Amino acid sequence: MQIGHLDSYTSEQWARVRGRLRTEVGEAAFRSWLKPLTLVGAKDGVVRMSVPTRFMRDWVRSNYAERIFALWGDENDVVSKVEIVVQPPTRPDPKPGSDGEACAEAGPRARRAARAPSKSGDDGLYDGKASGGRREISAPLDPRFTFENFVVGKPNELAYAAARRIAEAKTVPFNPLFLYGGVGLGKTHLMHAIAWNIRKRTPERRIIYLSAEKFMYQFVRALRTKDTMAFKEQFRSVDVLMIDDVQFIGGREATQEEFFHTFNALVDQNRQVVISADKSPTDLEGVEERMRSRLGWGLVADIHPTTYELRLGILQAKAEQMAAEIPGKVLEFLAHKITSNVRELEGALNRIVAHGTLVGRSITLETTQEVLHDLLRANDRRVTIEEIQKRVAEHFNVRVADMHSARRARAVARPRQVAMYLAKQLTTRSLPEIGRKFGGRDHTTVMHAVRRIEELKATDHGFAEDVELLRRMLEG
Ligand code: ADP
Ligand code: MG
């Protein structure tokens, strides 16, 4: 990294990693576990972060370390390891790295240890660096995302069956498999499961799994370093290509073109392609017509919002995995109350289990309601984008119409960005949907707004408080 040589740069990256974690795990889990993480140092590819207690360190390590490492990897190629250390907040002027014994690591080595379904060693799929120091293009896989850990129900049975079929078939059964559905419903989980499964059965097959964002990033970098040949080569020699969250490719002409060529080349050679998105191929915005139609040629499988039965099934499976004693009533209560998506459901369960462990009390309906009051309230009443726009406009003293207008003056653009950011945080709307509600803006504009606000929040304390206040008002 020589991430050491520019601290503001590193802090910016950290702000983005935090922001993405927050969006991914949900507000409640973020506040309990990830907010206390502090960046204490970064040197020679090792990022070091601290938490105040040992318990927290263990929890973060077992639940989030993989993800934190992956997100850092997205930000900075040089990151090869993430360390989480304990540093009590009371200690004056802490010396980063003094707590060697308390060190938890989530690097290639730690990951290898956690990698349950693997036998063979070095395929370079998981390591930050492939043999010879060249960075492997594929993103790391989450060891928890296996078929065994996936609970099947009505809403996801087609997607599950299709994923299994692809993982187990000797010849390509349909191409591409296009998985789509709302956020937190298991698309990434299924893709990782396919990869794990294929790896186990036929370790010689080359698999690339990565997000569309990462694909674009790699491509743009290849263009910049005039290394597009190697880029193409790498992608076109795989047996299985999986691209996650393809909606992000919309509106980017050059990358879309490259993606389309890669896609066609692979399908023509009868290599398996798996795609996920938050929308069906026909609804993908900013994507060329010929590509949209091509994406729908194979099997299109959608994952529907969860049902009560599925949520209960997932909670039961998770509780069993965690070996936690949780009364059936509590699980039923959660399955009734937390209807947004599986990620929030998991977050809620983690929180009540952690609370039980911490205070050494058994879990009851009362403690559950107490521990999750903020989350339950948020799930009771979902804010609309219109409400957000109205509140934010009032707060910053601009007109609601400016939320939709094309005016770019800072005085209106900043409030608009705040509103977009809050819309992303507080509603389940996708980026394109949010963009549409803001005068038909592109989803990349929304993405940019979200990042920008996260950056500002990380650097400007007053601003962060302002946004926090608005959020609380809207939630309450
Ligand atoms: P998406 O990619 O669709 O946004 P993910 O695959 O990241 O969603 O899933 C979010 C979380 O929910 C993950 O931790 C995943 O393991 C879990 N999850 C989603 N669906 C299921 C399921 N059917 N069974 C078990 N866990 C699930
Ligand atoms: Mg996903």
Side-chain angles (χ1 to χ4, degrees):
M1 95 187 42
Q2 250 334 339
I3 177 174
H5 83 123
L6 5 96
D7 262 19
S8 70
Y9 191 53
T10 315
S11 316
E12 260 174 45
Q13 293 179 333
W14 171 225
R16 281 194 296 269
V17 169
R18 282 190 91 190
R20 290 183 61 183
L21 279 170
R22 186 181 213 132
T23 324
E24 284 185 11
V25 306
E27 197 50 37
F30 179 83
R31 224 175 295 155
S32 316
W33 304 111
L34 300 168
K35 202 168 175 199
L37 268 176
T38 316
L39 179 67
V40 289
K43 214 169 79 188
D44 303 328
V46 180
V47 173
R48 180 174 288 233
M49 283 173 290
S50 74
V51 285
T53 65
R54 188 175 282 261
F55 177 80
M56 230 162 186
R57 177 204 64 196
D58 295 343
W59 189 266
V60 171
R61 174 171 56 171
S62 53
N63 290 284
Y64 303 107
E66 286 287 326
R67 206 46 210 144
I68 295 174
F69 176 66
L71 290 174
W72 266 108
D74 281 353
E75 285 295 333
N76 194 324
D77 268 5
V78 186
V79 175
S80 62
K81 189 162 136 190
V82 167
E83 286 181 351
I84 296 159
V85 299
V86 180
Q87 224 165 59
T90 44
R91 204 153 78 191
D93 187 23
K95 288 253 181 309
S98 55
D99 195 349
E101 184 266 333
C103 212
E105 55 180 58
R109 192 174 323 168
R111 205 170 29 246
R112 209 169 291 139
R115 182 168 83 195
S118 99
K119 327 192 280 282
S120 74
D122 245 347
D123 54 18
L125 182 60
Y126 314 100
D127 291 3
K129 291 184 187 96
S131 46
R134 184 171 58 88
R135 192 181 168 78
E136 178 60 47
I137 221 156
S138 192
L141 297 179
D142 191 316
R144 293 165 308 167
F145 290 2
T146 60
F147 283 130
E148 291 69 38
N149 289 343
F150 193 82
V151 180
V152 189
K154 264 255 164 302
N156 58 27
E157 62 186 1
L158 174 65
Y160 172 80
R164 262 229 103 111
R165 184 75 201 287
I166 285 204
E168 289 167 5
K170 295 222 164 52
T171 54
V172 172
F174 29 73
N175 220 358
L177 167 61
F178 191 103
L179 293 172
Y180 78 94
V183 79
L185 296 183
K187 301 181 295 294
T188 300
H189 188 134
L190 281 178
M191 291 176 109
H192 286 209
I194 295 174
W196 282 125
N197 206 285
I198 294 182
R199 264 206 72 227
K200 197 167 68 186
R201 290 161 178 272
T202 45
E204 69 283 357
R205 286 171 89 191
R206 244 173 74 76
I207 308 170
I208 289 186
Y209 162 86
L210 83 174
S211 66
E213 266 184 307
K214 188 98 189 192
F215 179 89
M216 293 191 280
Y217 168 76
Q218 302 270 10
F219 178 61
V220 170
R221 200 175 55 171
L223 283 179
R224 211 179 294 137
T225 55
K226 304 202 170 31
D227 202 12
T228 47
M229 278 316 284
F231 175 86
K232 286 183 206 293
E233 189 44 43
Q234 217 162 356
F235 276 100
R236 293 184 192 176
S237 61
V238 301
D239 298 299
V240 183
L241 175 67
M242 299 203 257
I243 309 263
D244 207 347
D245 287 322
V246 132
Q247 68 272 11
F248 290 120
I249 224 155
R252 319 263 177 117
E253 298 304 325
T255 354
Q256 221 181 97
E257 192 70 24
E258 180 57 32
F259 174 69
F260 192 53
H261 287 318
T262 308
F263 176 87
N264 281 329
L266 289 174
V267 172
D268 287 348
Q269 293 170 54
N270 210 21
R271 310 283 172 80
Q272 183 69 58
V273 180
V274 182
I275 306 281
S276 90
D278 65 353
K279 294 223 171 34
S280 76
T282 37
D283 289 338
L284 281 178
E285 285 161 49
V287 172
E288 272 183 68
E289 171 52 32
R290 58 179 180 142
M291 179 154 147
R292 274 186 286 159
S293 107
R294 192 79 164 85
L295 286 172
W297 279 13
L299 181 75
V300 178
D302 57 341
I303 307 186
H304 297 278
T306 56
T307 56
Y308 171 75
E309 286 71 30
L310 180 60
R311 290 194 295 275
L312 189 59
I314 291 172
L315 286 168
Q316 284 163 344
K318 274 286 277 181
E320 198 170 307
Q321 272 165 34
M322 295 163 92
E325 290 271 336
I326 308 174
K329 276 225 158 352
V330 169
L331 297 182
E332 286 165 23
F333 173 77
L334 291 178
H336 267 302
K337 285 291 189 177
I338 299 174
T339 53
S340 44
N341 65 48
V342 183
R343 195 171 292 142
E344 274 205 9
L345 202 59
E346 285 186 335
L349 191 64
N350 287 344
R351 240 169 98 184
I352 59 169
V353 171
H355 178 82
T357 319
L358 266 177
V359 302
R361 255 196 298 159
S362 53
I363 298 163
T364 65
L365 209 48
E366 286 70 42
T367 60
T368 301
Q369 274 166 311
E370 207 178 285
V371 174
L372 300 178
H373 69 278
D374 53 342
L375 189 69
L376 293 171
R377 214 178 44 207
N379 265 278
D380 270 348
R381 203 186 74 86
R382 282 275 166 200
V383 216
T384 64
I385 293 185
E386 287 73 17
E387 281 175 69
I388 295 174
Q389 293 175 327
K390 187 164 162 285
R391 278 287 185 145
V392 173
E394 271 167 20
H395 181 86
F396 288 101
N397 217 359
V398 298
R399 294 174 312 142
V400 175
D402 282 327
M403 293 288 155
H404 314 275
S405 79
R407 288 182 60 202
R408 296 170 85 170
R410 163 85 64 91
V412 294
R414 185 56 39 83
R416 196 187 293 132
Q417 285 179 326
V418 170
M420 287 184 194
Y421 168 83
L422 289 169
K424 181 70 197 138
Q425 296 287 323
L426 301 179
T427 73
T428 50
R429 302 276 162 212
S430 67
L431 295 174
E433 283 173 315
I434 295 174
R436 230 177 294 136
K437 299 257 188 186
F438 284 83
R441 288 180 157 77
D442 192 88
H443 75 268
T444 52
T445 309
V446 184
M447 210 152 71
H448 172 77
V450 171
R451 296 218 172 118
R452 184 78 195 115
I453 297 304
E454 267 156 15
E455 280 162 22
L456 283 171
K457 281 179 65 192
T459 50
D460 181 341
H461 190 66
F463 181 77
E465 278 190 343
D466 247 25
V467 176
E468 190 54 30
L469 186 75
L470 272 166
R471 202 172 60 79
R472 241 176 285 143
M473 268 173 8
L474 284 159
E475 272 182 348

